[in-house]
Amino acid sequence: MTAIQSIKGRRVWDSRGNPTVEVDVVLENGVMGRAIAPAGASRGQREAIDLRDGGSALRGKGVERALASVNGPIASALAGLPVSDQVGADRAILGLDPSPMKENLGGNATVATSLAVLHAAAADAQKPLWRHVADHYGFSPSLPLPEIQIFGGGAHAGRRVDIQDFMIMVPGASSFDEVMEVTNEVYFAAGDIMASRGKLAGIADEGGWWPAFDSNEEALETLVAAIEKAGEKPGERVVISLDVAASEFGENGKYRLALEDREMDSAALIEMLGGWLDAYPIASIEDPVGEDDVEGMVEFTRRFGERVQIIGDDYLVTNAKLVREAAADGACNAVLVKVNQAGTVSESIDTYNAARSAGWGAVVSARSGETEDVSISHLSTGLGGGQLKVGSFQRSERMVKWNECLRIQDELGAGTFVGGAPMAATWWGKQHG
Ligand code: 2PG
Ligand code: MG
């Protein structure tokens, strides 16, 4: 049983150029684990607080207070604990800050520390992180099915379109490698089509194309055209996945699509999205209504839960209790797992387990502000049977995570890709399953 000797937090910088927290956990035998906190832009109201310094320096985004949490109380509380006891380490962190959103320590301080402990435990056991996660928690490892962004929108592209993520999934692929190949073709076909139509305005926060579309639906039409230009039949090997991120353009059941200058209530939004499900090969949809719109989510799930994967992100904020409540309400049928929304590894695993017990899907996800940290590639593989959302097919903070999965594929064997399995409950799964 190897004990934690010391913990050090330092300031590093994320993909948006903002400061963030990196933590090194050093063990008594000199072995080390390291992790970096990511940062969201379209944040759920109930997720762990990203503690920032405020003021005018660094646009208020400094992380000195979060670093003080790591280097002060967290380092003292974890010193001497056995590194293999992730739950014990996370409990010690939670004991320092019982506030539900970790506003005292900062979720950025807790998540970087908790993940660094996990990395240190894996290194101490001389295992790759994915293997440690699988062994430690009793899962059967498998490479995840990716969701990959083609166009950005919402908070990730200056709100140029209202819908936040227009993504593809390749559930019909037979390996992770094949997903990458197909995505490359679709991604660049989309860029070519947009450029030729004068609709390409640059690169959005997660590496997807920054669109200059005149309507949200033009994005869907262009995505279908891109899938076809890539030589694919939409809905066969390749399907569409959306993150509506509806909390970003509505509250209290009132929504406003700025691009189309349209106001609508929850029922009208559900009607509009239902029309898209009929017209386009969409197999997965995230946050179709706002995080405060419980009735809307229940209604959306009642109407469409048999055909599409309905993921709660802002709606569930990687919280096991909210997952159990939503399952009881009949809202959603999948959860997005973002370790920094929960704030610790243990709470994220609890959320994953709550989702699986409800018979739900689970998608491990990056944030829009990311770094070279590849923990989530390992986590999604170690948990097995899942999906992975990382952003697009450009920019190193994204590609580093896809590339890490390719390395894991070599260690694990190509046959361990879950492919279309997570899509079983959708129309795609029913046709192809
Ligand atoms: C989301 C994420 C990732 P952010 O909403 O799913 O796309 O965005 O990290 O900005 O919350
Ligand atoms: Mg989301």
Side-chain angles (χ1 to χ4, degrees), residues 164 243 286-287 313 336 338 389:
Q164 182 180 286
D243 181 0
E286 182 178 324
D287 286 341
D313 169 19
L336 206 70
K338 289 167 164 170
K389 179 186 183 193

Side-chain angles (χ1 to χ4, degrees), residues 16 38-44 47 147 149 155-156 164-165 167 205-206 243-245 248 286-287 311 313-314 336 338 340-341 365-370 389-391 398:
R16 290 195 183 97
S42 70
R43 300 168 49 78
E47 63 178 86
E147 298 190 84
Q149 189 195 65
H156 303 159
Q164 182 180 286
D165 292 312
M167 298 169 285
D205 278 15
E206 297 192 350
D243 181 0
V244 178
E248 291 290 308
E286 182 178 324
D287 286 341
I311 306 172
D313 169 19
D314 295 345
L336 206 70
K338 289 167 164 170
N340 82 324
Q341 275 185 332
S365 173
R367 301 307 303 248
S368 49
E370 271 293 337
K389 179 186 183 193
V390 160
R398 312 290 150 189

Side-chain angles (χ1 to χ4, degrees), residues 312-374:
D313 169 19
D314 295 345
Y315 193 83
L316 298 168
V317 293
T318 314
N319 181 304
K321 183 167 163 275
L322 294 180
V323 166
R324 283 190 286 269
E325 282 170 13
D329 291 346
C332 308
N333 58 26
V335 65
L336 206 70
V337 177
K338 289 167 164 170
V339 186
N340 82 324
Q341 275 185 332
T344 62
V345 170
S346 299
E347 289 163 288
S348 307
I349 303 272
D350 287 349
T351 302
Y352 178 82
N353 283 331
R356 298 317 289 244
S357 316
W360 284 17
V363 184
V364 175
S365 173
R367 301 307 303 248
S368 49
E370 271 293 337
T371 66
E372 62 271 33
D373 188 291
V374 293

Side-chain angles (χ1 to χ4, degrees), residues 14 23 39 82 99 175 186 197 247 292 360 404:
D14 75 12
V23 173
S99 71
S175 70
V186 174
R197 295 180 184 170
S247 302
D292 59 357
W360 284 17
E404 188 72 357

